[in-house]
Amino acid sequence: MSRIAVAPLTELARAFARAGKQLYLVGGSVRDELLGRPHADLDFTTDALPEEVKALVRAARPDGVYTVGERFGTVGLVFGDLHVEVTTFRAEQYEPDSRKPAVQFGTSLVEDLSRRDFTINAMARDLATGELVDPYGGLADLKARLIRAVGAAEERFAEDPLRLLRAVRFAAELGFDVEPGTRAAIIACAEKLRTISWERIRDEMNRILLSERPALGIRLLCELGLMAFIIPEMLEMRGLRDREKRHKDVFEHTLAVVQRVPPVLHLRWAALLHDIAKPATLSVTDGEVHFLGHETLGAEMSRRILGRLRLDRNTIGVVAKLVRMHLRINLYDSNWTDGAVRRLAREAGDLFDDLFIISRADVTSQRAQRVAQAARAADELEARYRALQEEADLAKITSPLNGDELMSLFGRPPGKWIAPVKDYLLSLVLDGTLEQNDKEKAAELAREFVAKMGI
Ligand code: ATP
Ligand code: MG
């Protein structure tokens, strides 16, 4: 309750109460407050019409800046850092064969809540009294950690198939299970995902990948039949035997890698797609399984998949490069020349560190010896690279004043006197007592040095 005890909200609550209007905190903000999770924006619902909301806010908080899509019954308010949306009770009616809801203002809170997707998102808190309004058992589901559709699940998914992905996304974010009836309805409606734009699918996929449990989310997408309409290529990885003994197949290995990389979008995507071409490149020679060129084909497939999903060009490029190069670090051995190390680092460029993250996560073998050996190799390569880089940086350090500058400073011709002065200034830079670009101080020190040494 602490979050809604903020001054502007208390004033707002009083103003609404005085006018005999209801004002409820609703949806994700109520859910997250009950879970003790942070939630950025506050959503409110009211029986006041948008015009009335604006008048009430103007009277209560003349400073309250208001904006946003009134056409859909939402008035947006900004009080300093606090972003608030107040939406008039909804009773959305879906026209047959149309995905666009025709917004109608409803008259009751319960009706508004009945239009919401999942029970945990269909609770409201009266801002004036603090009372929780929970007609669909949201609190019980929150405690049981269940995602359950409000009302007749199949109808609700048919109404708005984006909810199919939202169910999985909330499961991945919150670590909840999908309740069996809702699960069956998702499976039955999975095909309706075809009617959802790739941009909206992308946004939910990104959120699933960035959640705390990306592996759980991806597994659910496959189990519920949704992946077939997003990245069908993923399904081929199931049952494909890997050389890695720990994992049942390439799919399980992939999930482990996704879960192991930090929640950074391009890293999670690269982890998800790094072995995507294994099914297509499988060959068996003398009883041995090979996936020749899976990294090259995988990069190509990644571009295609992410392009289809409307990811931005930069992310697509970065992911494709990481997929293409994902084997390179684990191929390292101590015999590599400095030239080979430099070439790899140059080719990886900005992605060198990310390549290490993917490579380290990619070692999911159960054999401790193999894991330790791979870790040692990666550490050695990294240390060699850092050493080379330091050398290269060092090579760039020179005396702040070059020969010409010293000659004009002292008004003297070229000669043996220059080298010791340059060496002296260079050593001061290396010691850290002189900045490479501080020519003024360098000139002063050079004069002192020349006088003292009698050069
Ligand atoms: P988050 O902000 O973390 O995504 P949220 O629950 O606030 O979680 P929003 O997309 O911000 O989700 O939507 C706010 C609320 O609006 C939800 O809690 C839910 O009650 C309702 N809602 C959002 N999208 C839908 C939808 N597609 N179908 C039905 N209700 C929805
Ligand atoms: Mg929200």
Side-chain angles (χ1 to χ4, degrees):
M1 287 304 297
S2 58
R3 288 164 49 83
I4 61 171
V6 187
L9 298 181
T10 319
E11 286 161 33
L12 218 57
R14 281 204 206 109
F16 274 71
R18 270 200 302 273
K21 293 295 174 189
Q22 303 166 319
L23 187 62
Y24 296 94
L25 187 66
V26 75
S29 17
V30 176
R31 178 199 68 221
D32 286 343
E33 181 210 324
L34 287 166
L35 287 170
R37 300 174 101 237
H39 191 99
D41 305 317
L42 296 182
D43 293 323
F44 288 96
T45 187
T46 180
D47 57 343
L49 292 170
E51 277 309 317
E52 299 177 288
V53 172
K54 288 207 302 187
L56 281 170
V57 173
R58 235 179 259 138
R61 294 282 302 199
D63 63 317
V65 188
Y66 49 85
T67 47
V68 191
E70 267 179 70
R71 206 154 61 84
F72 302 104
T74 300
V75 178
L77 310 174
V78 182
F79 303 106
D81 287 347
L82 194 66
H83 288 244
V84 174
E85 292 199 345
V86 184
T87 305
T88 306
F89 291 155
R90 289 242 175 118
E92 284 168 2
Q93 291 194 337
Y94 285 77
E95 286 157 17
D97 297 326
S98 162
R99 282 173 289 121
K100 301 268 181 299
V103 176
Q104 288 199 342
F105 298 135
T107 48
S108 91
L109 173 66
V110 173
E111 187 179 9
D112 177 281
L113 295 177
S114 76
R115 308 309 304 170
R116 294 174 182 270
D117 48 8
F118 306 111
T119 60
I120 57 168
N121 290 344
M123 291 182 277
R125 193 180 283 290
D126 188 328
L127 200 57
T129 64
E131 179 206 357
L132 186 73
V133 182
D134 177 22
Y136 303 103
L139 190 59
D141 285 337
L142 212 58
K143 287 189 177 140
R145 308 175 68 79
L146 286 177
I147 310 288
R148 183 198 307 268
V150 173
E154 280 201 38
E155 280 170 35
R156 305 309 311 288
F157 289 123
E159 217 170 66
D160 177 7
L162 187 71
R163 293 171 187 154
L164 297 161
L165 294 180
R166 284 174 58 90
V168 174
R169 194 247 292 174
F170 286 119
E173 283 180 345
L174 304 173
F176 283 20
D177 278 335
V178 182
E179 173 275 328
T182 300
R183 185 180 266 266
I186 294 177
I187 293 170
C189 297
E191 205 191 340
K192 296 218 156 56
L193 214 51
R194 285 184 206 267
T195 63
I196 296 294
S197 76
W198 284 110
E199 285 81 1
R200 298 178 82 197
I201 293 178
R202 168 201 62 204
D203 291 346
E204 291 297 330
M205 280 299 287
N206 286 345
R207 294 188 68 165
I208 289 169
L209 284 174
L210 289 175
S211 75
E212 251 176 71
R213 301 165 194 79
L216 180 152
I218 299 299
R219 187 188 298 285
L220 256 185
L221 288 176
C222 294
E223 281 175 11
L224 300 178
L226 298 169
M227 192 58 97
F229 304 99
I230 308 172
I231 311 175
E233 295 90 338
M234 288 277 322
L235 302 175
E236 309 287 316
M237 300 200 292
R238 293 190 297 189
L240 191 68
R241 279 299 297 274
D242 204 358
R243 264 167 298 189
E244 303 278 352
K245 293 288 184 292
R246 170 160 165 211
H247 293 287
K248 203 173 90 218
D249 55 28
V250 176
F251 180 73
E252 293 297 328
H253 161 76
T254 294
L255 292 190
V257 179
V258 171
Q259 192 66 53
R260 286 159 60 121
V261 301
V264 176
L265 196 62
H266 67 267
L267 292 176
R268 290 268 164 101
W269 272 115
L272 186 71
L273 297 173
H274 78 283
D275 278 347
I276 194 73
K278 275 197 171 174
T281 54
L282 170 88
S283 66
V284 183
T285 323
D286 301 330
E288 260 211 66
V289 177
H290 298 281
F291 304 103
L292 291 177
H294 80 272
E295 69 282 17
T296 320
L297 181 61
E300 231 172 84
M301 290 175 68
S302 298
R303 282 186 177 281
R304 221 163 41 228
I305 290 166
L306 297 179
R308 194 166 73 210
L309 276 160
R310 308 285 192 272
L311 267 93
D312 62 284
R313 286 176 56 155
N314 180 53
T315 305
I316 295 178
V318 165
V319 172
K321 186 166 173 178
L322 287 171
V323 171
R324 177 170 61 79
M325 296 188 73
H326 83 268
L327 295 175
R328 300 281 287 277
I329 286 178
N330 290 338
L331 286 175
Y332 171 79
D333 73 61
S334 302
N335 294 327
W336 278 26
T337 62
D338 286 351
V341 175
R342 283 198 197 96
R343 267 188 291 279
L344 174 63
R346 247 190 94 83
E347 192 179 337
D350 290 348
L351 296 178
F352 194 62
D353 291 340
D354 289 340
L355 209 51
F356 271 94
I357 293 174
I358 297 286
S359 301
R360 290 199 158 106
D362 195 16
V363 182
T364 61
S365 166
Q366 202 169 30
R367 303 198 336 255
Q369 214 185 333
R370 242 212 93 190
V371 175
Q373 196 256 323
R376 261 200 312 277
D379 289 347
E380 183 179 305
L381 173 59
E382 206 170 2
R384 282 183 66 183
Y385 168 69
R386 304 270 173 245
L388 288 171
Q389 204 178 30
E390 217 163 281
E391 260 173 48
D393 289 346
L394 284 176
K396 279 192 228 136
I397 296 179
T398 56
S399 159
L401 298 172
N402 62 26
D404 287 340
E405 288 167 320
L406 286 170
M407 285 189 283
S408 75
L409 180 69
F410 289 96
R412 290 174 66 174
K416 281 193 180 153
W417 66 276
I418 293 179
V421 184
K422 269 173 44 178
D423 286 349
Y424 171 66
L425 294 176
L426 175 62
S427 77
L428 292 179
V429 175
L430 291 173
D431 286 344
T433 46
L434 175 63
E435 296 281 330
Q436 165 119 35
N437 51 16
D438 191 349
K439 290 187 188 290
E440 216 171 296
K441 189 168 174 207
E444 192 185 309
L445 292 165
R447 280 201 198 91
E448 280 173 19
F449 180 73
V450 167
K452 195 169 94 190
M453 305 303 282
I455 311 177

